[in-house]
Amino acid sequence: MGVSENHGSAKTYILGFLFSLILTAIPLWLVIQHVMSKHALTVSILLIAVLQLIIQFFFFMHIREGEKPRYHVMALVLGAVMVFTIVAGSIWIMTFNSQVH
């Protein structure tokens, strides 16, 4: 690792942190205020979570820097598939469990 590697400035970290705080506060406010139906609330929370993930990738994990080896991107894709499988499987199991009981 050379000294010339740039991992971001304080400005980008603060900006990413502020975006993360805002994207965390929005779903909390939506849930507390009951401003949407249950289905719309779930969809909006999932969309904000994906946006939060993208913010984390760009501001903190420096994915936008394209000179990294391809295996970093492949590891992220594998991680995304694993997370999707776990979340989708959990939702499926909880839905099945609520129909049985």
Side-chain angles (χ1 to χ4, degrees), residues 43-67:
V43 170
S44 61
I45 289 174
L46 287 174
L47 289 175
I48 292 172
V50 169
L51 187 58
Q52 175 89 279
L53 180 69
I54 292 169
I55 293 292
Q56 297 289 326
F57 281 160
F58 282 115
F59 284 97
F60 300 115
M61 296 179 71
H62 310 290
I63 297 300
R64 67 181 174 269
E65 298 166 1
E67 296 182 17

Side-chain angles (χ1 to χ4, degrees), residues 4-91:
S4 65
E5 287 187 33
N6 187 6
H7 290 290
S9 65
K11 180 181 175 182
T12 59
Y13 285 126
I14 291 171
L15 191 60
F17 180 68
L18 290 175
F19 284 146
S20 295
L21 283 178
I22 292 168
L23 291 175
T24 302
I26 291 171
L28 179 64
W29 181 80
L30 290 174
V31 169
I32 290 174
Q33 296 298 319
H34 303 287
V35 295
M36 296 180 175
S37 68
K38 197 174 199 179
H39 180 67
L41 183 64
T42 303
V43 170
S44 61
I45 289 174
L46 287 174
L47 289 175
I48 292 172
V50 169
L51 187 58
Q52 175 89 279
L53 180 69
I54 292 169
I55 293 292
Q56 297 289 326
F57 281 160
F58 282 115
F59 284 97
F60 300 115
M61 296 179 71
H62 310 290
I63 297 300
R64 67 181 174 269
E65 298 166 1
E67 296 182 17
K68 294 184 180 181
R70 285 206 182 272
Y71 62 85
H72 289 289
V73 175
M74 291 189 301
L76 283 173
V77 169
L78 177 63
V81 168
M82 292 171 105
V83 167
F84 176 77
T85 303
I86 291 169
V87 170
S90 298
I91 291 172

